[in-house]
Amino acid sequence: GGSPGEKALGVLTLLTNVYTAGDMFLKPDVALYSHTIAAVRNTLLDWQSRRIFQHDEDRSLEKELAGGLLDALERMESSLKEEMKNKKKDEGIQLSLQQWTCAIRAYADGLATFASISIGDDEKIAEEMLSKLENLIATNSANIVLSVDDAGMNDTDTQNRLNEIQRIVEESYTSALSSRLILSKEKGSFADFESALNNAITSEGIFHGMSHRSQESPPDMNFLFPQPTPGNYRALVECWCELLRKHYSTPEANTAMANMKELPHLKAESLLKQLEMQQAGQPIDGSIYVNVLWAWSQVLNWPAIYRQNQYYFAANAVDELLKRTMSRYENGSVTFHWDGTVTKMYNIVYRLNSKIFKGGEGAMKRSLKLLDQMEYWYRQSDGAIAQPDAFSFGLILKTISNSGAKSSASNAERILQRMEDFGVKPRERHYLGVIRAYSRVGQMDVPDPRKAEAILQRVKEIYNENKSVKPTTAIYSACISAYGGSKRHNSVSKVMELFEELKELHKETSDDDFRPDSMLYGAVLDAVSKARSRGDSSLRQALQLLDKMEMNHDIGDIETGPNRYAYTNLLHAISQSRVPDGVSLAEDLMLRMDNRSRQLNDESIRPDTHAYTTLIQIFAGSAQSDAVQRAQKWFKQMEKQYEDGDPLSKPNKVTYTALINCWRRSDLADAGEEADNILSMMETKSKDGDLDLKPDAYVYASAIDTWARSKSDGKAVRAWNIYQRMKKQYSRGNMESKPNNVIMCSIIKACGYTRGDREDKQKALKVLLECMAELKTAKYIIPTPLTYRSLLNAAKALVGDDAKRRAISATIFETCCRNGQLDATVLEALEKVQPELYVKLPGDIPSKWKRNVAQVRSGF
C-alpha cells in the first residue's frame, strides 16, 4: 500500500524476514516497532476521519491495517522478552531508558488506536492493552528507574524524558477510560442504559486502579505511576454523564436509575470537586465544567430523578455551578482553551430553562439575568469569551414565549435589539419566538394578536427586500394561533386571510418553507373553532373546514393533510364547548381519525394518548347516563392499541385521572370502588417502575372525592385510607402527591354525608376527629373558612345530641379563630350547628380572628 502506515509495516515485515533468514544485524529493535506502530496509528486515524467525512461504511482497509498493528505489538512483546532473557544478570540494566520509552509509547499508540477504531465486536482490546502496559511497567519499574541513572543525561534532559513517559502513561489511561464510549458513538450510542452503566463502572475501576497505583508507588516512580490528571477525570466524568442521555430513559432504565447509590450527575459533580481539590493552585480546563453542566441539564428527561425533587432543583444546581465556574475563572483556577466554551455553558443553561414549561415568569427572569451575566463576561474579556450566538438568543426567546408572562412580548422585542448590539442577525426562529411571545401572553387570552401580525409583516418586508429571512409556514401558524387565542380579536375572516395568503405564496414560489403543513391546519382549525359566534356555528364551521382539507388532500390539491394535532385541537374545542351533542361529535371525530389512519396507512393521524385522554375528559364532563361505560370502552381500545405496539397511545396519569372523574360524576353505586381500583393499579405500576403513572395530588383528590360523592356506607373510612396512602407517597419523596386542603375538605364531606347506620356514623365520626387532629399537625395543609364550615356541618350530621356535639363544635370554632380564618360563612354554620355557642359571641368580632381570611365580606 501507499500510506505511511502500510509502508512502515512493509519495512518491518521485510527486516523481520531478513533477520529470520540469518542476518543478525537487521534485527528489528523496540524503537523500530514503536515508530512503526505510531505510523500505523496516524494512518488509521486519518483513514477514519476521511471515511466519516465521506459517509463511507467500508472499514475493511482499516481492519486489515489494525490487524497489522496488533501483530506488530505481539512481535515487539516477543522481542522484548527475548532481549531481556538474553541479558546477563550481572549487567543490571536490561534496556536503555530510550528503549523503555519506546516500548511504553508503542502500547500507548495501540491504546489510542483501539480506543477510536473498532476491528470487530470485541470492545475490550483497549482494556487488554492497558493491562499489558500496566504489567510491563509494574514488572520492570525498578529496571526502568535504574535506566534513568544509567542514561548519563543532564538533569534537564532527564526530567524532560521522565515527563514524556509520564505524559504517555497518563494519555494511555485517558484512552482506556474513553475507549468504549468513543466506540459506541460510531454506532450512535450504547445499546441501552445497562450497557452505558457497565461502561461507567468499568471506567471507574480503571480510574481507581490508576489512583491506587499512584498512592502505593515510591516518589522516584511517580512518572511511571502518575495520579489521575484533569484529562483522566474528564474521561470518567463523560462516562457517567453518558447515562443521562434522553434515549436511554425507558421505564426499566428509570427503575435502575432510582436504585443507584449515587446518581450520575451527582457522581460527575463529586468527581469535579475532587479534581478541584487535587488541582488547588493549578488551573483546570473549563471543558469538564461543560460536561457536568450538561449532565444536570439532562435530568428532566428522567422521571426517576426529577420526581424526587423540588421543581427548580436542576435550574438552581446549574446556576450555582455556572456561578462557581466563572468565579474560579476570575481567580485563575479555571481556563478556557476554546473561546466558545463559555458560550456553550450558558447555552446549556438556556436550554434547560427553555424546557421548564411550567417555569413561567421565573424561568424567563432567570434567562434574562443569565444574558446580563454573559454580557458582563463578554465585556470584561474584551470579547474573548461569552459571546451570545444565534443559538443563545433562540433559546432565550423560546423561554420567554413559553412563560406567558405579561412582560414576555416586550422582553422578546428587546431581545431582537440586543441581538443587533452583539452583531447577531435575527433569523426566522427568532422572529417566530417573538410572535409566540405575543400569542402566549396571558396564555388563556391573547390581548392583541395584531402585534404578532406586525412581526409577520416585518419579516415579509425583509423577504421582499433581500430574501435574507422568510415568512415561513411556522411563522404564519404562530400568527394564526395568536388570533385563535384572542377572545376579542379572533375572527374567521382574518384567520382565513392569513391561511390563503400563505397558500398563494407557496403556489407562486414552490418553496417548501411556505408549504402548508399539519401544524398550520391544526392552528387554523383551532382558531376557527374558537371564533366568536352564535351558538356552536364556529365549531361547525371548523368541522366543515376539516372536511374540505381532507377532500383537498385526497384529490391531490395539497400534499399534506390534517394530522392528529388538527383533530385533537377540534376535540379540545368540543371539550370546551357546551354543545348538546358534544360527546357524539367527539366520538365521531375519533372514529374518523382511526378510519382515515387505516385507509391512508398514515400513523400521523392515528389517535394518540392526547386524543384518547381528551375524549375521556369530554365523557367526564358529560351528564349522559352511560358516559362512564362509553369512556371505559374507549379506554380499553386505547390500552389494546398500546399493547399492540403503539407507544404513542400509552395511557398516562392524566388519562387515568379523567377515567376516575368519569366514575366520580357517574352516581353509580360502585363508583368509589372502581376509582380506588384504578388508583391502586397506578400505585402498583409506578412501584414496579412505570414512573409516568406515579399518582399525584390530582389523582388522589379525584379518587377521594369519588368516595365522598358515593352512597357507600363506609365511604369516610375508604377516603381516609386513600389519604394515608397519599401521605406515605409524599413521605417517600413523591413531591407531586403533597396533600392539600381541597383533599381534606373532600374527606370531611365524606364524613358529613355518611348515611348508614349508627355504626357507620361512629366510624365516620372517628375519621372526622382524625381530620381535626391532622389539621393541627400537618404543616402542608392550610385550612380555609370552607374547611371549618365543613367540619361544623359534618359534626352536626354525625352527632345528633347537642350536648355531646358541643365540645367538638367549640374545638372547631376555637381553632378557626386561632388561625384567623373566621368569616361570615363560618358564623352562619355555627349559628345553625350550635346556636347556644353563637349567642355568646361578642358583638364586635376581634380582627385577629379573621386576620388570614383572603377576602373579608362586606359588613363582616
Side-chain angles (χ1 to χ4, degrees):
S3 70
E6 291 171 300
K7 289 179 179 178
L9 277 177
V11 171
L12 178 63
T13 301
L14 175 63
L15 290 176
T16 301
N17 292 338
V18 172
Y19 167 69
T20 304
D23 192 336
M24 308 303 326
F25 293 101
L26 293 179
K27 178 184 178 181
D29 60 7
V30 176
L32 178 61
Y33 283 113
S34 180
H35 292 316
T36 300
I37 290 168
V40 173
R41 170 201 172 180
N42 292 335
T43 296
L44 280 170
L45 295 178
D46 178 58
W47 283 0
Q48 182 190 49
S49 299
R50 291 169 184 262
R51 174 174 55 78
I52 293 172
F53 180 75
Q54 295 171 0
H55 304 288
D56 187 357
E57 296 297 322
D58 185 7
R59 306 183 188 186
S60 55
L61 289 177
E62 290 175 30
K63 290 182 179 181
E64 184 179 344
L65 193 58
L69 190 153
L70 277 176
D71 181 61
L73 269 173
E74 289 174 4
R75 280 191 273 170
M76 185 192 78
E77 290 169 4
S78 300
S79 178
L80 277 173
K81 289 177 183 177
E82 181 184 351
E83 191 161 347
M84 288 189 285
K85 185 178 179 181
N86 291 335
K87 292 282 184 180
K88 294 180 180 179
K89 292 184 180 180
D90 58 354
E91 287 185 9
I93 307 299
Q94 291 183 315
L95 296 178
S96 68
L97 179 60
Q98 182 181 359
Q99 288 176 305
W100 287 121
T101 304
C102 288
I104 293 169
R105 185 188 291 115
Y107 279 110
D109 284 333
L111 262 166
T113 302
F114 293 107
S116 302
I117 295 175
S118 174
I119 62 170
D121 296 330
D122 189 359
E123 297 176 344
K124 296 182 179 179
I125 295 178
E127 293 165 35
E128 292 169 357
M129 210 164 286
L130 176 66
S131 180
K132 289 182 179 180
L133 174 59
E134 289 175 335
N135 184 60
L136 175 75
I137 293 174
T139 304
N140 300 286
S141 55
N143 284 326
I144 296 173
V145 171
L146 287 174
S147 72
V148 175
D149 298 330
D150 194 60
M153 296 185 293
N154 60 45
D155 291 345
T156 301
D157 290 342
T158 300
Q159 191 58 51
N160 288 340
R161 180 58 60 84
L162 299 186
N163 290 344
E164 181 186 1
I165 293 175
Q166 179 172 331
R167 178 184 56 77
I168 294 170
V169 174
E170 291 167 350
E171 290 176 353
S172 298
Y173 276 103
T174 301
S175 297
L177 287 164
S178 303
S179 61
R180 289 194 185 190
L181 180 58
I182 294 171
L183 292 175
S184 74
K185 290 180 179 176
E186 286 237 339
K187 304 171 186 175
S189 65
F190 288 105
D192 49 33
F193 177 81
E194 185 179 1
S195 302
L197 177 59
N198 288 336
N199 171 66
I201 293 171
T202 300
S203 296
E204 181 147 353
I206 293 171
F207 182 88
H208 286 313
M210 179 186 187
S211 181
H212 177 72
R213 291 181 185 86
S214 174
Q215 292 169 5
E216 296 295 317
S217 69
D220 63 339
M221 293 186 181
N222 285 347
F223 70 102
L224 294 172
F225 304 99
Q227 66 178 354
T229 66
N232 303 139
Y233 271 96
R234 185 184 178 194
L236 181 57
V237 163
E238 287 178 341
C239 291
W240 283 110
C241 291
E242 174 68 18
L243 296 177
L244 292 159
R245 288 197 184 278
K246 183 178 181 179
H247 62 261
Y248 296 137
S249 183
T250 63
E252 296 77 17
N254 272 278
T255 301
M257 182 76 80
N259 292 326
M260 290 180 67
K261 290 182 179 178
E262 189 173 16
L263 294 170
H265 58 293
L266 300 178
K267 183 76 174 178
E269 184 149 11
S270 176
L271 287 165
L272 175 58
K273 288 177 179 176
Q274 289 177 29
L275 176 61
E276 288 175 342
M277 292 176 63
Q278 177 184 298
Q279 295 292 111
Q282 301 178 58
I284 301 171
D285 180 23
S287 57
I288 191 171
Y289 289 88
V290 175
N291 295 123
V292 181
L293 278 167
W294 180 87
W296 269 104
S297 74
Q298 297 302 298
V299 299
L300 294 185
N301 298 321
W302 291 85
I305 300 174
Y306 70 74
R307 289 187 180 166
Q308 308 297 329
N309 290 278
Q310 297 291 341
Y311 191 72
Y312 268 120
F313 80 103
N316 291 337
V318 295
D319 280 354
E320 286 301 314
L321 182 55
L322 184 59
K323 189 184 300 180
R324 184 171 107 220
T325 307
M326 299 312 297
S327 175
R328 289 177 64 83
Y329 164 74
E330 197 167 29
N331 65 31
S333 300
V334 168
T335 59
F336 299 113
H337 294 128
W338 175 51
D339 58 9
T341 299
V342 178
T343 300
K344 187 175 182 179
M345 288 196 305
Y346 274 94
N347 285 350
I348 289 171
V349 186
Y350 289 138
R351 170 169 272 178
L352 177 62
N353 285 335
S354 74
K355 289 180 179 179
I356 304 177
F357 288 105
K358 296 179 184 176
E361 191 169 8
M364 178 182 74
K365 287 181 175 178
R366 282 172 179 267
S367 288
L368 293 174
K369 184 178 179 182
L370 282 170
L371 182 59
D372 290 339
Q373 293 174 11
M374 201 175 183
E375 184 171 2
Y376 167 80
W377 292 113
Y378 177 74
R379 306 298 180 199
Q380 284 289 105
S381 66
D382 293 327
I385 62 170
Q387 179 170 8
D389 56 17
F391 190 53
S392 311
F393 288 112
L395 292 171
I396 294 169
L397 284 166
K398 182 180 177 182
T399 306
I400 291 172
S401 66
N402 285 340
S403 73
K406 290 182 179 180
S407 60
S408 60
S410 57
N411 278 316
E413 290 270 22
R414 280 194 286 272
I415 290 298
L416 285 183
Q417 181 58 51
R418 292 183 75 170
M419 289 181 72
E420 294 179 13
D421 295 342
F422 279 100
V424 180
K425 189 175 182 181
R427 301 295 305 163
E428 287 86 354
R429 65 179 179 273
H430 302 111
Y431 290 110
L432 178 61
V434 180
I435 291 176
R436 284 178 173 164
Y438 276 115
S439 68
R440 293 171 182 171
V441 172
Q443 296 290 342
M444 300 302 293
D445 183 20
V446 179
D448 192 352
R450 293 171 299 183
K451 292 182 178 179
E453 189 180 0
I455 302 295
L456 170 61
Q457 286 299 130
R458 192 191 311 180
V459 176
K460 285 158 62 177
E461 288 169 7
I462 298 172
Y463 175 72
N464 291 331
E465 183 179 332
N466 56 33
K467 302 291 189 292
S468 60
V469 292
K470 300 176 182 178
T472 61
T473 304
I475 290 176
Y476 270 94
S477 297
C479 189
I480 289 169
S481 293
Y483 276 100
S486 176
K487 294 177 181 177
R488 181 180 177 185
H489 296 283
N490 187 16
S491 73
V492 173
S493 60
K494 171 53 71 174
V495 168
M496 296 310 296
E497 175 191 328
L498 292 169
F499 179 51
E500 294 299 330
E501 187 178 288
L502 178 65
K503 285 170 62 179
E504 187 63 28
L505 188 58
H506 177 249
K507 184 178 180 181
E508 290 175 359
T509 63
S510 299
D511 189 331
D512 284 346
D513 288 333
F514 305 135
R515 182 187 302 278
D517 61 13
S518 299
M519 295 298 287
L520 175 71
Y521 295 139
V524 171
L525 289 169
D526 184 53
V528 171
S529 67
K530 291 178 180 176
R532 287 182 298 171
S533 65
R534 291 183 179 181
D536 59 358
S537 63
S538 289
L539 179 59
R540 307 289 176 185
Q541 190 170 358
L543 290 168
Q544 290 172 6
L545 183 59
L546 177 65
D547 293 338
K548 185 177 180 181
M549 288 177 173
E550 287 179 343
M551 184 185 68
N552 288 341
H553 173 255
D554 293 345
I555 64 176
D557 281 358
I558 55 175
E559 290 188 24
T560 306
N563 68 357
R564 68 167 65 95
Y565 170 73
Y567 293 95
T568 306
N569 272 353
L570 281 175
L571 279 171
H572 183 71
I574 293 169
S575 73
Q576 299 299 306
S577 71
R578 296 188 177 183
V579 293
D581 59 341
V583 171
S584 298
L585 283 175
E587 284 190 295
D588 289 345
L589 199 57
M590 285 289 285
L591 289 169
R592 184 169 173 174
M593 290 174 70
D594 197 39
N595 292 336
R596 192 167 175 80
S597 171
R598 297 174 192 278
Q599 290 168 4
L600 301 178
N601 194 25
D602 185 354
E603 292 293 318
S604 73
I605 308 174
R606 197 178 189 190
D608 64 353
T609 301
H610 188 191
Y612 280 111
T613 301
T614 304
L615 177 61
I616 294 170
Q617 287 171 332
I618 292 170
F619 282 119
S622 167
Q624 296 186 15
S625 59
D626 62 345
V628 68
Q629 289 83 3
R630 290 160 74 179
Q632 288 276 81
K633 185 196 78 171
W634 282 101
F635 178 76
K636 287 177 181 177
Q637 178 175 318
M638 180 185 188
E639 279 190 313
K640 185 178 186 305
Q641 187 173 318
Y642 173 64
E643 289 165 1
D644 288 347
D646 181 6
L648 296 179
S649 63
K650 180 186 176 184
N652 62 20
K653 189 186 308 181
V654 183
T655 315
Y656 285 108
T657 305
L659 194 58
I660 290 174
N661 283 331
C662 288
W663 285 105
R664 185 171 68 91
R665 300 196 61 181
S666 70
D667 203 33
L668 295 174
D670 58 346
E673 202 68 57
E674 291 289 344
D676 211 330
N677 290 339
I678 294 169
L679 176 61
S680 296
M681 180 273 298
M682 292 178 70
E683 290 172 330
T684 300
K685 285 192 174 183
S686 67
K687 187 178 179 181
D688 291 343
D690 191 346
L691 297 179
D692 288 335
L693 294 183
K694 186 178 285 187
D696 60 13
Y698 295 105
V699 181
Y700 282 110
S702 295
I704 288 171
D705 200 54
T706 305
W707 276 115
R709 287 168 171 250
S710 76
K711 296 179 176 64
S712 301
D713 294 339
K715 64 183 182 179
V717 174
R718 298 297 295 270
W720 182 253
N721 289 342
I722 292 178
Y723 177 73
Q724 295 303 312
R725 283 148 56 186
M726 181 183 190
K727 280 176 62 180
K728 185 179 287 187
Q729 283 271 345
Y730 181 62
S731 67
R732 290 178 176 175
N734 181 3
M735 306 305 293
E736 296 178 359
S737 68
K738 181 179 179 180
N740 57 53
N741 185 59
V742 173
I743 288 169
M744 184 57 64
C745 285
S746 287
I747 301 172
I748 295 168
K749 181 171 71 173
C751 297
Y753 283 91
T754 295
R755 295 290 182 267
D757 57 21
R758 185 172 179 276
E759 184 181 352
D760 289 326
K761 289 197 173 186
Q762 282 296 318
K763 290 179 180 178
L765 178 60
K766 185 179 178 181
V767 172
L768 186 71
L769 296 175
E770 293 274 15
C771 290
M772 291 170 61
E774 187 77 3
L775 287 169
K776 288 182 179 180
T777 57
K779 296 180 180 179
Y780 39 73
I781 297 179
I782 310 298
T784 65
L786 173 63
T787 316
Y788 297 107
R789 184 171 79 247
S790 301
L791 284 168
L792 286 169
N793 290 331
K796 180 174 177 61
L798 295 172
V799 185
D801 189 318
D802 280 357
K804 291 181 180 179
R805 188 175 63 244
R806 188 176 297 120
I808 298 174
S809 300
T811 300
I812 295 169
F813 187 75
E814 287 169 8
T815 306
C816 177
C817 296
R818 192 182 312 117
N819 291 334
Q821 291 289 351
L822 181 63
D823 73 353
T825 63
V826 179
L827 284 173
E828 290 169 8
L830 182 68
E831 184 179 15
K832 292 177 182 177
V833 173
Q834 221 74 50
E836 72 277 16
L837 293 179
Y838 177 78
V839 298
K840 295 180 181 180
L841 294 176
D844 292 326
I845 299 297
S847 58
K848 65 179 181 180
W849 289 8
K850 52 187 178 180
R851 66 187 182 278
N852 292 324
V853 177
Q855 187 174 15
V856 179
R857 298 186 180 185
S858 62
F860 177 65

